[in-house]
Amino acid sequence: QFDRYLQITLVALDLLILNLVYFICQIIFAKGVHYNSSGAYFRYLTVANATWLLLSFFLRTYTITHVLNFENFTKRTIQVYLVWIISILIYLFFSRELTISRLFIISTTGSFGFGLLINRFIYLGIFTYFRNSDLLVKKVIILGYNDTAKKLDSYFEQDGMNTEVMGYIENEENIVELSHY
């Protein structure tokens, strides 16, 4: 369940940053926004949000395998961000949204990238806190004791979140070795 909440929280935070950046830039550039072009700005915001969600979903940014590894998560975020910028530029080109300020577009896309970076470092801090605390320890018992069980144990040691192997279960007559080293 924690994994699902983590995914939803990360998606929500990224969308919050995107919309917050948009509204801050809209306040800053309020003098340059004409009343009759507000529909174009709203369409831009809608497309930006929808594109981010679709690209994140199709490029699997928020899957648990990516989320639990900070380096992979950051790399995937950068990839999605670059494709997102290209998609926004394609939208602006084909929709001929000439009323939207180019400085506004550069500011929102650049600020969103910076906001994503800040989000990832906040996530790293929270992730490290939970990883070092005993609040979310997964306790595992491995059935059998053989080379595969030893590999599984080493995999759990390298897992993204805290996983503690409590031990192995094996028939007594099959036990030849008691350590996994």
Side-chain angles (χ1 to χ4, degrees):
Q1 261 186 341
F2 176 74
D3 296 344
R4 179 63 63 196
Y5 290 131
L6 181 63
Q7 288 173 315
I8 292 170
T9 302
L10 289 170
V11 170
L13 284 175
D14 287 348
L15 287 176
L16 176 71
I17 288 294
L18 175 60
N19 290 297
L20 190 63
V21 160
Y22 172 83
F23 287 115
I24 289 172
C25 286
Q26 197 169 34
I27 290 169
I28 292 171
F29 295 103
K31 292 179 183 176
V33 176
H34 300 288
Y35 177 74
N36 56 356
S37 65
S38 62
Y41 282 88
F42 180 74
R43 284 189 298 276
Y44 171 72
L45 174 65
T46 304
V47 168
N49 278 291
T51 305
W52 180 259
L53 283 175
L54 288 172
L55 289 173
S56 296
F57 175 74
F58 285 119
L59 297 176
R60 302 172 51 88
T61 306
Y62 301 105
T63 59
I64 290 303
T65 54
H66 288 116
V67 168
L68 293 181
N69 184 323
F70 179 74
E71 186 176 319
N72 289 342
F73 187 45
T74 305
K75 284 180 185 177
R76 185 55 58 111
T77 301
I78 291 169
Q79 291 171 348
V80 172
Y81 175 68
L82 293 175
V83 173
W84 177 79
I85 288 175
I86 292 168
S87 300
I88 292 297
L89 293 175
I90 289 170
Y91 159 74
L92 292 169
F93 178 77
F94 284 111
S95 67
R96 296 182 185 218
E97 293 287 0
L98 301 175
T99 58
I100 299 176
S101 165
R102 300 303 175 228
L103 186 58
F104 180 83
I105 293 167
I106 292 169
S107 298
T108 55
T109 55
S111 298
F112 180 53
F114 185 70
L116 285 173
L117 183 67
I118 291 172
N119 256 0
R120 295 309 173 255
F121 282 113
I122 291 171
Y123 166 72
L124 178 63
I126 293 170
F127 181 77
T128 303
Y129 169 76
F130 278 116
R131 186 174 188 169
N132 293 334
S133 72
D134 291 333
L135 298 174
L136 299 172
V137 175
K138 298 176 192 173
K139 297 185 180 199
V140 176
I141 295 178
I142 299 175
L143 297 175
Y145 190 79
N146 53 27
D147 290 335
T148 305
K150 292 176 191 175
K151 288 179 185 176
L152 185 61
D153 183 22
S154 66
Y155 170 76
F156 283 134
E157 287 177 2
Q158 298 170 0
D159 189 15
M161 294 301 281
N162 290 346
T163 304
E164 181 181 349
V165 176
M166 300 301 294
Y168 301 87
I169 297 178
E170 180 65 87
N171 292 334
E172 268 188 56
E173 62 270 7
N174 293 338
I175 296 178
V176 214
E177 176 186 354
L178 290 177
S179 71
H180 65 286
Y181 296 103

